[in-house]
Amino acid sequence: MKIGFIGTGNLANAMIKGILNAKAVDARDIHAFDIDEPKLALAAQKYGIVQAASAEDLVKQCGVVLIAIKPADFPALLGRLDKTLQAADPLVISTAAGNSLEYISSFLTYRPALVRIMPNINATIGESMTAYCTNGRPSDAQTALVEKLCSAFGTVIPLDEKYFPMFGVIAGAAPAFAYMFIDELARAGVKIGMNKKLSLQIAAQTVLGSAKYILESGEHPYELIDRVCSPGGTTIEGIAALQEFGFSNAITKAVDRALEKDTKLASLKKNG
């Protein structure tokens, strides 16, 4: 089956790279279109994929159409492709953050086999945390294909769409929180005289290993915290300082604020 990408930005490139590296699909079975012709040509040259002459042509040739464009560009694109999509009836996959299944369907005059996926920036290195939901029309085989494709660039889970806003904060925004934590750890190292590059390497690897430990051990983070903290030792002293200066509260507030912003943007879109 041929897979078509409408949009060849950073996220699309990350997904294409992962799919090809995992040998999930052959490069010649991936078609792509982008109104930015140099960007499209670059992706085609880099990955050996097929350049479609137009979005309409892509839809006609591909059994899966993955739309990876800016959320604000969906109405115009779907309005233009409505009849072509209806005639071809491909599996339609959207990566647009904040665009619900209902919202996407509102621009079409038929009920598509529609899937919404939400990868994060770590898809670039094959370590995305991706969630997906469907409108109920995709077959079991189509859903399995979605899981196969998303697994090529990280971990994938099915998720009720009502949880997508929270998922978008924890999986979508939180990488920035993690980057900030790693950077602050590295800067603390610099403060006491360590080279920034070395300090950053130590901090990043420590966070990476800690995350893998949680996932692979299945143990609760607080069990691991207790294991690392010796009575009267250095680690518990640092933990006490984090608690004293509001580390836990800052994380909770960051998630709350990001979720509030997402809710406001969704409301504006719905009412606009």
Side-chain angles (χ1 to χ4, degrees):
M1 180 177 290
K2 292 180 172 58
I3 298 173
F5 280 79
I6 298 180
T8 53
N10 292 333
L11 181 56
N13 271 263
M15 290 189 287
I16 291 169
K17 179 183 176 182
I19 289 168
L20 294 178
N21 285 346
K23 294 181 170 53
V25 179
D26 186 80
R28 302 308 296 175
D29 288 328
I30 296 179
H31 293 227
F33 174 76
D34 198 306
I35 57 174
D36 187 332
E37 294 183 6
K39 187 185 292 184
L40 173 61
L42 183 62
Q45 180 183 16
K46 187 174 182 179
Y47 300 112
I49 60 178
V50 179
Q51 294 186 62
S54 66
E56 289 80 0
D57 185 58
L58 180 145
V59 170
K60 292 174 183 177
Q61 296 190 49
C62 298
V64 178
V65 175
L66 201 153
I67 306 176
I69 61 175
K70 294 177 181 178
D73 294 334
F74 263 65
L77 175 73
L78 294 178
R80 192 173 80 245
L81 292 180
D82 182 29
K83 291 183 179 179
T84 307
L85 284 168
Q86 185 170 3
D89 197 23
L91 173 65
V92 179
I93 302 174
S94 164
T95 67
N99 282 5
S100 68
L101 294 167
E102 181 181 8
Y103 178 79
I104 294 168
S105 296
S106 70
F107 299 101
L108 299 171
T109 58
Y110 79 110
R111 185 169 179 255
L114 181 62
V115 178
R116 180 183 175 191
I117 67 172
M118 188 177 288
N120 67 18
I121 190 173
N122 294 327
T124 305
I125 57 165
E127 292 291 349
S128 176
M129 180 67 247
T130 303
Y132 77 88
C133 61
T134 83
N135 68 345
R137 237 210 89 191
S139 65
D140 289 344
Q142 288 174 321
T143 301
L145 177 60
V146 171
E147 292 192 349
K148 178 182 178 182
L149 295 177
C150 292
S151 294
F153 46 85
T155 298
V156 58
I157 58 168
L159 188 68
D160 191 304
E161 190 173 29
K162 68 182 179 182
Y163 296 118
F164 263 52
M166 178 54 77
F167 179 87
V169 174
I170 296 176
F177 306 164
Y179 302 152
M180 185 176 182
F181 175 63
I182 291 168
D183 186 61
E184 291 300 333
L185 280 178
R187 289 178 187 277
V190 173
K191 182 181 178 181
I192 60 174
M194 185 176 287
N195 173 276
K196 177 64 182 290
K197 184 177 181 181
L198 177 60
S199 187
L200 187 59
Q201 179 185 4
I202 294 169
Q205 179 59 43
T206 299
V207 172
L208 172 63
S210 301
K212 290 185 71 173
Y213 200 143
I214 289 174
L215 291 174
E216 293 179 13
S217 71
E219 296 180 67
H220 193 281
Y222 264 98
E223 293 177 9
L224 298 175
I225 291 171
D226 289 344
R227 190 176 303 169
V228 178
C229 293
S230 301
T234 57
T235 305
I236 190 61
E237 192 69 25
I239 292 290
L242 287 174
Q243 292 174 330
E244 178 184 352
F245 292 104
F247 180 78
S248 298
N249 187 55
I251 297 298
T252 301
K253 289 295 185 183
V255 171
D256 288 346
R257 291 279 184 88
L259 188 58
E260 285 172 14
K261 184 67 172 181
D262 181 87
T263 302
K264 287 179 182 178
L265 292 175
S267 179
L268 288 172
K269 184 178 293 182
K270 185 175 181 180
N271 297 325

